[in-house]
Amino acid sequence: MNLLLLIEQLTTGGKVVIGVFFAILLGMLFYFALKMAELSYVMKRKKPFYVHSPFFLKQLNEPQKLILQNQFKFYNKLNSKYKKYFEHRVASFIADKEFVGRSGLQITEEMKVLISATAVMLTFGFRDFYIALVNNIFIYPEEFYSTINDDYHKGEFNPKLQTLVLSWKDFKKGFAIDNDNLNLGIHEFAHAIHLNSIKERDVSSTIFSDSFKELTTLLSNEEALRKDLIASKYFRDYAYTNQFEFIAVIIETFIETPDEFKSLFPEIYDKTKQMLNFNFAGY
């Protein structure tokens, strides 16, 4: 009651200030309540409240859209609604990143669209799809010399420089053969997503990190599964170099041969699907 009397005695300007203060306070409380509700939902369902927003969608121009239609199989598996979301994300990703040609290579729309589409495909189940740790994408015509270990590479990701580097020849080869579980673009972007999920705390990064921890715990506790995994030779030996290569290889495999993956190792498949929140295009 005393508070109401005090407010009545305030000038109009003072009342406006008080009104703004309470509006901000209510807004903060509402935001906090939503975050807590989503956290509870995530812990139970292992996915965000929502992923895609239907508002303010960017569009690709016709040549860019044709590149997707003619060269990107994943895009063609999507229904019309998801295709619009995919196009929006590709256009947004292209605008957000700096594409740089190396060794005289001229950057083309095909390069921008296909490389961006690869990143968007892997993060299509994420709310935040930009992969903040990637600012620059350097593209070489073919294998390039890397000062990281004084050797020739087909691709690499440098988190300190926030730079992803690709051989265009080998990037294209990865999609030309789409069932050998070898895909340079997927592999390098998987590294970037993994490291980004460690750094960021958005809901999708949290789900990715927590799901990977669940997968490593599963493999640690299930010796028989671990032995079957290695004996099967389904994942190439490079997967067992370290946890970073393991996650990159299983994501390559998940994208390229999902039916075989699910048939052979359903538990690992489900954890990978959970990591990526991949509930579309038949996965």
Side-chain angles (χ1 to χ4, degrees), residues 21-37:
F21 171 77
F22 278 108
I24 293 173
L25 182 61
L26 286 172
M28 291 174 63
L29 290 172
F30 181 70
Y31 176 77
F32 181 76
L34 282 179
K35 295 294 285 185
M36 290 300 98

Side-chain angles (χ1 to χ4, degrees), residues 2-202:
N2 290 336
L3 179 60
L4 291 174
L5 288 172
L6 180 61
I7 292 173
E8 282 295 326
Q9 294 171 3
L10 289 173
T11 63
T12 301
K15 291 178 180 178
V16 169
V17 171
I18 293 293
V20 170
F21 171 77
F22 278 108
I24 293 173
L25 182 61
L26 286 172
M28 291 174 63
L29 290 172
F30 181 70
Y31 176 77
F32 181 76
L34 282 179
K35 295 294 285 185
M36 290 300 98
E38 180 167 53
L39 179 61
S40 175
Y41 183 86
V42 167
M43 291 177 66
K44 183 178 180 180
R45 306 272 184 153
K46 301 297 183 182
K47 61 181 181 179
F49 263 152
Y50 71 93
V51 174
H52 300 281
S53 170
F55 306 109
F56 309 111
L57 298 180
K58 293 183 179 179
Q59 294 183 342
L60 296 171
N61 60 40
E62 282 305 312
Q64 290 172 327
K65 193 182 294 187
L66 279 174
I67 292 168
L68 281 183
Q69 292 171 347
N70 294 333
Q71 299 190 55
F72 211 78
K73 289 185 178 180
F74 178 83
Y75 169 80
N76 290 313
K77 292 179 181 179
L78 300 172
N79 62 34
S80 57
K81 180 180 74 173
Y82 278 131
K83 281 181 178 177
K84 290 179 181 178
Y85 293 149
F86 196 88
E87 292 165 21
H88 160 73
R89 290 190 169 198
V90 170
S92 300
F93 195 90
I94 290 172
D96 188 63
K97 310 304 178 188
E98 185 72 23
F99 293 83
V100 181
R102 294 297 201 190
S103 297
L105 185 71
Q106 295 295 313
I107 298 296
T108 65
E109 285 301 304
E110 179 189 26
M111 294 173 186
K112 290 182 180 181
V113 170
L114 293 182
I115 291 171
S116 298
T118 303
V120 168
M121 173 177 65
L122 297 181
T123 58
F124 203 53
F126 291 20
R127 185 184 302 166
D128 183 352
F129 60 92
Y130 283 105
I131 316 177
L133 268 184
V134 178
N135 281 335
N136 308 297
I137 299 174
F138 291 170
I139 311 170
Y140 284 83
E142 51 190 10
E143 284 188 349
F144 53 91
Y145 185 76
S146 173
T147 56
I148 291 178
N149 61 355
D150 294 325
D151 202 357
Y152 283 88
H153 288 189
K154 296 175 181 178
E156 66 183 32
F157 173 59
N158 188 323
K160 290 184 179 180
L161 298 179
Q162 297 185 320
T163 299
L164 190 110
V165 191
L166 298 168
S167 154
W168 180 241
K169 174 184 175 182
D170 293 288
F171 175 88
K172 290 278 284 184
K173 184 178 178 181
F175 283 99
I177 307 171
D178 62 1
N179 61 355
D180 61 353
N181 299 329
L182 285 167
N183 187 298
L184 176 67
I186 292 173
H187 190 94
E188 297 304 330
F189 272 119
H191 282 315
I193 292 167
H194 183 193
L195 290 170
N196 193 70
S197 75
I198 295 171
K199 175 179 177 289
E200 303 292 336
R201 296 319 303 160
D202 63 278

Side-chain angles (χ1 to χ4, degrees), residues 223-233 265:
E223 184 179 359
L225 175 60
R226 196 166 64 249
K227 287 182 177 179
D228 287 346
L229 196 68
I230 296 170
S232 72
K233 299 294 182 180
F265 301 105

